[in-house]
mmCIF file of all heavy atoms in Angstrom:
data_model
loop_
_atom_site.group_PDB
_atom_site.id
_atom_site.type_symbol
_atom_site.label_atom_id
_atom_site.label_comp_id
_atom_site.label_asym_id
_atom_site.label_seq_id
_atom_site.Cartn_x
_atom_site.Cartn_y
_atom_site.Cartn_z
ATOM 1 N N SER A 55 -4.830 -0.823 -0.601
ATOM 2 C CA SER A 55 -4.924 -2.210 -0.790
ATOM 3 C C SER A 55 -4.938 -2.945 0.540
ATOM 4 O O SER A 55 -5.372 -4.117 0.762
ATOM 5 C CB SER A 55 -3.615 -2.760 -1.615
ATOM 6 O OG SER A 55 -2.474 -2.342 -0.855
ATOM 7 N N TRP A 60 -7.212 -6.031 5.804
ATOM 8 C CA TRP A 60 -7.839 -5.820 7.058
ATOM 9 C C TRP A 60 -9.138 -6.630 7.046
ATOM 10 O O TRP A 60 -9.614 -7.191 8.064
ATOM 11 C CB TRP A 60 -8.192 -4.532 7.376
ATOM 12 C CG TRP A 60 -6.992 -3.568 7.494
ATOM 13 C CD1 TRP A 60 -5.650 -3.932 7.542
ATOM 14 C CD2 TRP A 60 -6.934 -2.101 7.729
ATOM 15 N NE1 TRP A 60 -4.758 -2.792 7.764
ATOM 16 C CE2 TRP A 60 -5.593 -1.731 7.834
ATOM 17 C CE3 TRP A 60 -7.927 -1.143 7.737
ATOM 18 C CZ2 TRP A 60 -5.211 -0.375 8.065
ATOM 19 C CZ3 TRP A 60 -7.590 0.134 7.962
ATOM 20 C CH2 TRP A 60 -6.158 0.543 8.120
ATOM 21 N N GLU A 63 -8.280 -10.082 7.849
ATOM 22 C CA GLU A 63 -8.022 -10.146 9.321
ATOM 23 C C GLU A 63 -9.249 -10.207 10.117
ATOM 24 O O GLU A 63 -9.355 -11.071 11.021
ATOM 25 C CB GLU A 63 -7.150 -8.961 9.758
ATOM 26 C CG GLU A 63 -5.754 -8.976 9.185
ATOM 27 C CD GLU A 63 -4.954 -7.733 9.809
ATOM 28 O OE1 GLU A 63 -5.179 -7.213 10.802
ATOM 29 O OE2 GLU A 63 -3.970 -7.344 9.105
ATOM 30 N N GLY A 70 -12.575 -17.237 14.499
ATOM 31 C CA GLY A 70 -12.089 -17.623 15.747
ATOM 32 C C GLY A 70 -13.119 -17.422 16.943
ATOM 33 O O GLY A 70 -13.341 -18.197 17.768
ATOM 34 N N LYS A 78 -8.295 -24.267 11.491
ATOM 35 C CA LYS A 78 -8.861 -25.674 11.743
ATOM 36 C C LYS A 78 -9.731 -26.050 10.585
ATOM 37 O O LYS A 78 -9.746 -27.222 10.089
ATOM 38 C CB LYS A 78 -9.724 -25.743 13.059
ATOM 39 C CG LYS A 78 -8.671 -25.486 14.256
ATOM 40 C CD LYS A 78 -9.209 -26.318 15.385
ATOM 41 C CE LYS A 78 -8.031 -26.385 16.443
ATOM 42 N NZ LYS A 78 -8.620 -26.271 17.853
ATOM 43 N N GLU A 81 -7.540 -27.186 7.930
ATOM 44 C CA GLU A 81 -7.021 -28.524 8.304
ATOM 45 C C GLU A 81 -7.896 -29.564 8.012
ATOM 46 O O GLU A 81 -7.565 -30.706 7.642
ATOM 47 C CB GLU A 81 -6.575 -28.558 9.779
ATOM 48 C CG GLU A 81 -5.253 -27.927 10.031
ATOM 49 C CD GLU A 81 -4.944 -27.611 11.578
ATOM 50 O OE1 GLU A 81 -5.823 -28.154 12.400
ATOM 51 O OE2 GLU A 81 -4.059 -26.972 11.876
ATOM 52 N N ILE A 107 -12.791 -2.962 12.532
ATOM 53 C CA ILE A 107 -13.460 -3.519 11.331
ATOM 54 C C ILE A 107 -14.623 -4.295 11.739
ATOM 55 O O ILE A 107 -14.594 -5.362 12.360
ATOM 56 C CB ILE A 107 -12.412 -4.325 10.459
ATOM 57 C CG1 ILE A 107 -11.332 -3.527 9.942
ATOM 58 C CG2 ILE A 107 -13.182 -5.048 9.249
ATOM 59 C CD1 ILE A 107 -10.033 -3.623 10.749
ATOM 60 N N GLY A 116 -24.766 -22.249 1.293
ATOM 61 C CA GLY A 116 -24.308 -23.681 1.102
ATOM 62 C C GLY A 116 -23.249 -23.791 0.016
ATOM 63 O O GLY A 116 -22.322 -24.638 0.108
ATOM 64 N N VAL A 117 -23.287 -22.962 -1.005
ATOM 65 C CA VAL A 117 -22.217 -22.964 -1.974
ATOM 66 C C VAL A 117 -21.469 -21.624 -1.920
ATOM 67 O O VAL A 117 -20.405 -21.436 -2.567
ATOM 68 C CB VAL A 117 -22.684 -23.224 -3.349
ATOM 69 C CG1 VAL A 117 -23.181 -24.661 -3.569
ATOM 70 C CG2 VAL A 117 -23.727 -22.309 -3.844
ATOM 71 N N THR A 130 -12.786 8.581 16.848
ATOM 72 C CA THR A 130 -13.731 9.486 16.439
ATOM 73 C C THR A 130 -15.110 8.913 16.095
ATOM 74 O O THR A 130 -16.103 9.558 15.943
ATOM 75 C CB THR A 130 -13.276 10.373 15.186
ATOM 76 O OG1 THR A 130 -13.147 9.499 14.114
ATOM 77 C CG2 THR A 130 -11.921 11.079 15.383
ATOM 78 N N LEU A 133 -16.456 6.940 9.807
ATOM 79 C CA LEU A 133 -16.497 5.840 8.820
ATOM 80 C C LEU A 133 -15.277 6.045 7.946
ATOM 81 O O LEU A 133 -15.108 7.063 7.324
ATOM 82 C CB LEU A 133 -17.741 5.730 8.082
ATOM 83 C CG LEU A 133 -17.849 4.532 7.094
ATOM 84 C CD1 LEU A 133 -17.802 3.212 7.763
ATOM 85 C CD2 LEU A 133 -19.144 4.792 6.273
ATOM 86 N N ALA A 135 -14.138 3.399 5.702
ATOM 87 C CA ALA A 135 -14.444 2.689 4.510
ATOM 88 C C ALA A 135 -15.527 1.709 4.753
ATOM 89 O O ALA A 135 -15.765 1.210 5.876
ATOM 90 C CB ALA A 135 -13.083 1.944 4.124
ATOM 91 N N LYS A 138 -17.387 -5.353 0.848
ATOM 92 C CA LYS A 138 -18.075 -6.514 0.798
ATOM 93 C C LYS A 138 -17.058 -7.610 0.314
ATOM 94 O O LYS A 138 -16.073 -7.255 -0.407
ATOM 95 C CB LYS A 138 -19.245 -6.487 -0.243
ATOM 96 C CG LYS A 138 -20.406 -5.666 0.096
ATOM 97 C CD LYS A 138 -21.459 -5.804 -0.951
ATOM 98 C CE LYS A 138 -22.609 -4.834 -0.716
ATOM 99 N NZ LYS A 138 -23.402 -4.710 -1.889
ATOM 100 N N LYS A 154 -23.376 -27.219 2.843
ATOM 101 C CA LYS A 154 -24.830 -27.670 3.485
ATOM 102 C C LYS A 154 -24.798 -29.120 3.708
ATOM 103 O O LYS A 154 -25.294 -29.760 4.615
ATOM 104 C CB LYS A 154 -25.862 -27.294 2.599
ATOM 105 C CG LYS A 154 -27.241 -27.009 3.094
ATOM 106 C CD LYS A 154 -28.149 -26.344 2.083
ATOM 107 C CE LYS A 154 -29.555 -26.156 2.573
ATOM 108 N NZ LYS A 154 -30.254 -25.357 1.549
#
Side-chain angles (χ1 to χ4, degrees):
Chain A
S55 61
W60 295 357
E63 291 182 24
K78 293 215 171 139
E81 282 165 8
I107 295 100
V117 293
T130 64
L133 181 64
K138 289 180 192 173
K154 202 165 177 174

